[in-house]
Amino acid sequence: MAFQKNPDELGALWIKHGPNSDYMTGEINGIKVVVFKSKKTSEKSPDWRVLKSKPRDEKKPIADVDVPF
């Protein structure tokens, strides 16, 4: 039997272990996302934040700047 995707499924997330805390990465409706546990400031604050994933910046070269000596 061939794999059939559940029509109610929006995407999938994977847990990652970062140096400061755990977080999740994945894709929801074709959009790459990252999910962080929120720092709750009140009962109405969300428990998790879902953000669009941005590619990690490569090491940026230092700009050539004329520095007088």
Side-chain angles (χ1 to χ4, degrees):
M1 183 172 176
F3 174 78
Q4 292 181 353
K5 183 177 176 181
N6 181 338
D8 295 328
E9 183 177 310
L10 300 176
L13 301 171
W14 287 262
I15 294 176
K16 305 285 185 169
H17 304 288
N20 299 323
S21 65
D22 292 346
Y23 60 97
M24 292 180 274
T25 62
E27 196 169 302
I28 297 175
N29 283 338
I31 299 170
K32 291 184 180 189
V33 297
V34 61
V35 182
F36 294 101
K37 189 156 182 80
S38 178
K39 294 181 175 116
K40 290 185 73 81
T41 55
S42 74
E43 188 58 34
K44 293 183 178 184
S45 297
D47 294 310
W48 298 87
R49 295 262 183 206
V50 181
L51 306 169
K52 286 183 183 178
S53 183
K54 295 181 181 176
R56 289 184 152 191
D57 289 340
E58 297 294 326
K59 289 186 177 181
K60 295 180 182 177
I62 298 173
D64 292 329
V65 179
D66 291 334
V67 180
F69 287 105

